[in-house]
Amino acid sequence: MLEDRPGAMQGPALRRIVGMLLLALAVPLLAWQSTPSHQLPIPHADFLALHSLLEIFAVAVAALVFFVGMGTTGAERSTRAMLLGGAFLAVALFDAQHLLSYAGMPDVVSANSPHKSILFWLLSRYAAGIGLLGYLLLAERPLPVSRLRRQGWYAGILLLVLCASWFPLTAPERLAPMYREGIGLTPLKIRLEWGACALYLGGALLLVLRRRRQVDIDFNSLLLALLLLAASELFFILYVRVASTANLLGHAYKLVAYYFLYRAIYAEAIRRPFRRMRDMLTHDVLTGLPNRVGLAEHLEQVLARREAANGDCALLLLGLDHFRHVNDTLGYAQGDRLLVAVASRIRASVPKGVFVARLSGDEFVVVLEGQPPAAARELGELLLQAMTREFGIGQDRIQISASIGLMASAEPGQAAGAVMRHADLALHRAKQSGRNCMEVYDRSVGAEFDRQMLLESQLRVALERGELLLHYQPQWNVRSGALVGWEALLRWHSAELGKVAPGEFVPVAERSGLILAIGNWVLREACRQLRAWRDAGLAPGTMAVNLSARQFRQRDLVDMVGQVLRENDLLPSSLELEITESMLMDDLAAAAAVLGDLQKLGVNIAIDDFGTGYSSLGYLKAFPLHCLKIDRSFIADVPGDASDAAIVRTIIALADNLGLRVLAEGVETQAQLAFLREHHCAQMQGYLKAPPLPAKQCLALLQQSQREEVLPAP
């Protein structure tokens, strides 16, 4: 029961070791003093001096316990502290009267004697024993709000002390004798000492049995205090002469016990606020779970134990999917209640004793120690299933999923920060993979993340360095073969990385927010190039520019497009902005407003990759659209694949009925072109006619196309 807790400071550990040694030493000392002949006499003057010194310290410590307990009542509103403070106010007063009543001290009210001093001694012992027993039995409750009632409690203690002291102080001879000169202690006094000893031992047993219910106390110091007090009582059962080693040892043990008792009370009254401050630093206020700081401390300890024992350590990082939507639709109060419910469900889903923390926002961490990677994966699947069950939050029924990043086995020597980073990378991949799933970290995840970080850092300076450029893919009239327009396609030639594919760097630009600056540059550069071709006397047709989702949500998008057109003296109809179906469906009302303003400006709108997004086609008539671009995945296998051929025919017929132009992407064979011509597809682009070309080659193609158009037919 008295072992050191992990991480305890050397000072408290040393104090407990000394206390335990004194407790163990009490056994041979009691055996030695149990024989009256071994109780060495001490000259009365010397004994009185030593006794007075010990009792002065005892009174001072008892008074400190009282003052600290009283101070705690004002600061913490602790009923238990108020009870103990009142008890040790009585102890301090009884001990003081015991000191002053000793034979050899000036008489106080009545003649001093061993009998008189023993009466005050016993009152002090029982006040301490009953007070400590009540402290352990009493539940932590709020103190009475009334200051008068609290002051009345201490006034009542003073009155009780006065009443109990009346006869011992004024007429001790009227009470049963406790000591007889030449004979020693009376049987009554010995029985009362045994009773006090039983109180202390009962308190120690109660403390051990109710250990988990005792909060904010120094358990080890309080247990030592109770056991040392019981040992001191045994010395007071043995002595025959007052001025003897048995009596002096009893007082010495009582003083040491008072010291440990003060340490225990000090720990409650003074260290409790600091512990609570630490709890606030290491625990999440909303859910009560450890926070990022508490997680870091625990993870460091787990990894240290793993290193010593060569065991397993897994970490699961759980993030709620689309939690922001809950806050946006139901409010932050409901969002907080959902987080509390999620924390409760996680705790209920993991085995008892498993460490759970709230990292931040909607992310939670589970640390699994001493379990193989397979067990960590099973726990992750269990948590995913648990999160899919509906949450009842007041009147709302909330359905939300979660994604999990799993670091299945920490590597030897790995720091806590690295383990967290790897779990975060795995969670990031789970989010990218469609959410509501679990991804396990491996080295490829780290390499992919490092690559993305490198791309992002290089992409930030790519515009300044002039590394970004546009290629243009021509668009053709399917029936006549005439060149009718261009699609601007972004390319990146990095000085450090070489050619980087758009499929790799565009998602990085979108996640980092760089897509706004890059997209605006693409729009300006494409319009500038269109103007340059026209200034060269050519008829390049229209210019199609892809808009990112972030660009489409820009409040000043329409104003910016209009400004770019005016700067390049272009008609709005010469510009076609390509958007995806998902961009429309994210916010229908906002999309309708933006498209309406672009229609007023006169810009054409095309739906890119048509057929791969939402199945609802209601937006085709709700929004002002001009063109549907059939995704290359449908064109690749026509006319051989009957399903794809049917889809392409349906899209062409649908667009024709709605008055929309159709452009097929990815045309690479004559058979595909013949199929499109047969079914009256208006336009096409693809490698069959020309790949995306740099501006200089586009100029040559334009000039050749224009010459062919003016030549007379053979």
Side-chain angles (χ1 to χ4, degrees):
M1 291 297 177
L2 300 173
E3 73 274 6
D4 248 9
R5 290 173 298 179
M9 295 175 60
Q10 291 184 352
L14 181 61
R15 283 194 295 270
R16 285 195 285 275
I17 291 172
V18 171
M20 293 167 64
L21 289 175
L22 286 174
L23 195 59
L25 188 61
V27 176
L29 287 175
L30 285 167
W32 175 48
Q33 293 295 293
S34 63
T35 304
S37 60
H38 292 163
Q39 297 179 13
L40 304 178
I42 301 174
H44 186 77
D46 294 340
F47 181 85
L48 185 63
L50 290 171
H51 174 269
S52 298
L53 185 62
L54 292 172
E55 283 302 306
I56 288 171
F57 276 109
V59 171
V61 175
L64 283 173
V65 173
F66 157 65
F67 283 118
V68 172
M70 184 175 66
T72 302
T73 63
E76 298 290 334
R77 303 294 184 207
S78 168
T79 307
R80 292 175 2 137
M82 185 177 74
L83 169 68
L84 197 62
F88 271 81
L89 171 61
V91 170
L93 293 173
F94 287 137
D95 275 345
Q97 292 182 90
H98 166 72
L99 168 64
L100 296 174
S101 299
Y102 231 75
M105 300 291 286
D107 291 340
V108 179
V109 181
S110 61
N112 289 348
S113 66
H115 168 65
K116 180 181 178 181
S117 66
I118 289 173
L119 290 173
F120 285 115
W121 167 264
L122 291 171
L123 287 171
S124 173
R125 300 303 90 227
Y126 275 86
I130 293 171
L132 287 167
L133 206 58
Y135 177 81
L136 295 171
L137 285 170
L138 191 65
E140 189 77 17
R141 295 176 183 172
L143 203 64
V145 177
S146 170
R147 186 176 181 182
L148 184 62
R149 291 178 63 184
R150 297 197 301 274
Q151 292 175 342
W153 162 255
Y154 293 110
I157 294 294
L158 290 173
L159 181 60
L160 185 62
V161 169
L162 179 61
C163 293
S165 304
W166 183 256
F167 281 111
L169 191 62
T170 60
E173 69 280 355
R174 297 179 61 179
L175 300 174
M178 299 292 159
Y179 179 83
R180 297 184 189 278
E181 290 290 343
I183 299 176
L185 302 174
T186 65
L188 176 60
K189 196 270 186 184
I190 293 174
R191 286 195 295 270
L192 290 172
E193 291 285 8
W194 276 112
C197 183
L199 278 177
Y200 296 135
L201 290 175
L205 180 61
L206 185 64
L207 176 62
V208 172
L209 294 176
R210 298 167 62 94
R211 179 174 185 175
R212 293 187 177 181
R213 301 184 186 180
Q214 305 299 327
V215 294
D216 294 326
I217 66 168
D218 185 341
F219 172 83
N220 292 321
S221 293
L222 186 54
L223 182 58
L224 274 173
L226 288 165
L227 295 176
L228 289 168
L229 282 170
S232 75
E233 293 302 319
L234 295 178
F235 284 106
F236 294 118
I237 292 170
L238 299 176
Y239 73 86
V240 176
R241 292 181 299 274
V242 172
S244 67
T245 51
N247 195 343
L248 192 63
L249 284 169
H251 280 87
Y253 266 82
K254 183 193 78 168
L255 182 61
V256 174
Y258 273 22
Y259 167 77
F260 279 101
L261 179 61
Y262 175 71
R263 293 297 310 179
I265 303 307
Y266 174 86
E268 177 185 27
I270 305 301
R271 285 164 48 190
R272 182 201 296 185
F274 291 99
R275 282 198 300 270
R276 291 187 176 176
M277 288 174 62
R278 177 173 175 77
D279 283 345
M280 292 176 65
L281 291 174
T282 58
H283 284 74
D284 173 48
V285 177
L286 180 64
T287 63
L289 295 174
N291 59 14
R292 183 184 294 272
V293 176
L295 169 65
E297 292 181 357
H298 177 79
L299 193 54
E300 290 286 358
Q301 295 173 5
V302 169
L303 292 174
R305 289 195 293 269
R306 177 203 180 282
E307 195 71 18
N310 196 26
D312 288 307
C313 171
L315 187 142
L316 298 96
L317 178 57
L318 182 148
L320 299 180
D321 297 332
H322 305 297
F323 176 72
R324 182 174 59 85
H325 294 170
V326 177
N327 284 335
D328 292 343
T329 56
L330 301 179
Y332 287 95
Q334 284 295 79
D336 287 346
R337 294 187 187 100
L338 176 60
L339 290 174
V340 173
V342 167
S344 178
R345 186 170 293 182
I346 292 174
R347 280 194 296 252
S349 301
V350 302
K352 187 177 181 181
V354 169
F355 183 87
V356 180
R358 182 188 176 198
L359 188 60
S360 63
D362 60 355
E363 292 184 346
F364 297 84
V365 173
V366 178
V367 179
L368 203 58
E369 185 177 2
Q371 296 293 325
R377 291 187 179 91
E378 290 178 7
L379 181 59
E381 295 296 340
L382 180 65
L383 287 171
L384 286 177
Q385 294 175 12
M387 289 300 108
T388 58
R389 298 197 304 271
E390 186 179 69
F391 288 91
I393 310 297
Q395 300 297 320
D396 296 314
R397 294 293 177 267
I398 302 176
Q399 195 80 38
I400 194 167
S401 62
S403 302
I404 293 178
L406 170 61
M407 178 63 180
S409 181
E411 298 177 1
Q414 203 166 33
V419 174
M420 281 300 306
R421 176 177 177 268
H422 292 166
D424 188 56
L425 293 178
L427 175 62
H428 183 69
R429 174 178 277 188
K431 297 276 189 180
Q432 287 184 324
S433 299
R435 306 175 189 267
N436 192 25
C437 64
M438 178 173 63
E439 288 286 342
V440 182
Y441 174 83
D442 56 30
R443 294 187 182 276
S444 66
V445 176
E448 177 186 338
F449 180 80
D450 292 340
R451 172 70 175 178
Q452 290 182 356
M453 291 299 99
L454 179 62
L455 288 175
E456 181 177 336
S457 65
Q458 294 297 318
L459 196 55
R460 290 185 182 277
V461 296
L463 269 176
E464 300 173 7
R465 295 177 177 177
E467 296 177 351
L468 296 179
L469 67 155
L470 293 182
H471 283 191
Y472 303 90
Q473 185 163 32
Q475 297 174 339
W476 312 86
N477 184 292
V478 171
R479 183 160 297 278
S480 67
L483 197 158
V484 294
W486 305 84
E487 180 182 5
L489 298 171
L490 183 61
R491 297 292 183 265
W492 181 19
H493 292 261
S494 170
E496 286 81 6
L497 306 174
K499 291 184 178 181
V500 185
E504 187 178 15
F505 75 81
V506 170
V508 173
E510 290 176 343
R511 285 194 298 271
S512 64
L514 295 172
I515 196 66
L516 285 176
I518 294 174
N520 292 344
W521 174 84
V522 169
L523 178 64
R524 293 180 182 277
E525 178 62 17
C527 289
R528 185 202 63 77
Q529 185 61 66
L530 187 64
R531 179 74 267 166
W533 287 336
R534 290 192 173 179
D535 289 344
L538 302 171
T542 60
M543 178 65 73
V545 177
N546 290 277
L547 288 182
S548 70
R550 284 177 178 258
Q551 280 181 290
F552 190 66
R553 290 195 293 267
Q554 285 185 105
R555 292 184 178 180
D556 61 345
L557 173 64
V558 178
D559 293 338
M560 185 195 67
V561 171
Q563 181 181 353
V564 171
L565 291 171
R566 288 190 296 273
E567 288 173 355
N568 293 281
D569 192 22
L570 294 174
L571 294 174
S573 58
S574 63
L575 176 64
E576 184 168 87
L577 298 178
E578 296 186 3
I579 59 177
T580 63
E581 295 169 277
S582 59
M583 290 162 56
L584 296 176
M585 307 306 288
D586 279 346
D587 189 336
L588 293 174
V594 173
L595 293 179
D597 291 340
L598 289 173
Q599 182 188 36
K600 293 176 183 176
L601 186 63
V603 173
N604 293 326
I605 304 295
I607 298 296
D608 195 15
D609 302 330
F610 182 77
T612 61
Y614 290 84
S615 59
S616 173
L617 300 177
Y619 69 88
L620 292 178
K621 66 176 183 178
F623 295 128
L625 305 175
H626 303 86
C627 177
L628 299 183
K629 298 186 71 174
I630 304 176
D631 187 70
R632 66 182 65 248
S633 62
F634 299 121
I635 300 298
D637 294 326
V638 295
D641 188 287
S643 297
D644 284 346
I647 290 173
V648 172
R649 287 195 302 269
T650 302
I651 293 174
I652 295 172
L654 175 67
D656 184 58
N657 290 329
L658 294 174
L660 302 177
R661 176 169 36 92
V662 177
L663 185 148
E665 299 179 294
V667 178
E668 298 181 355
T669 67
Q670 288 292 341
Q672 292 169 349
L673 178 59
F675 176 85
L676 294 173
R677 186 178 291 123
E678 178 185 354
H679 293 92
H680 309 292
C681 178
Q683 296 175 357
M684 58 146 291
Q685 66 185 60
Y687 278 68
L688 175 64
K689 297 285 285 185
L693 301 170
K696 288 183 179 180
Q697 294 183 34
C698 292
L699 178 62
L701 181 62
L702 267 172
Q703 292 171 340
Q704 178 187 349
S705 177
Q706 193 158 319
R707 285 196 301 269
E708 291 175 353
E709 287 180 4
V710 299
L711 290 175

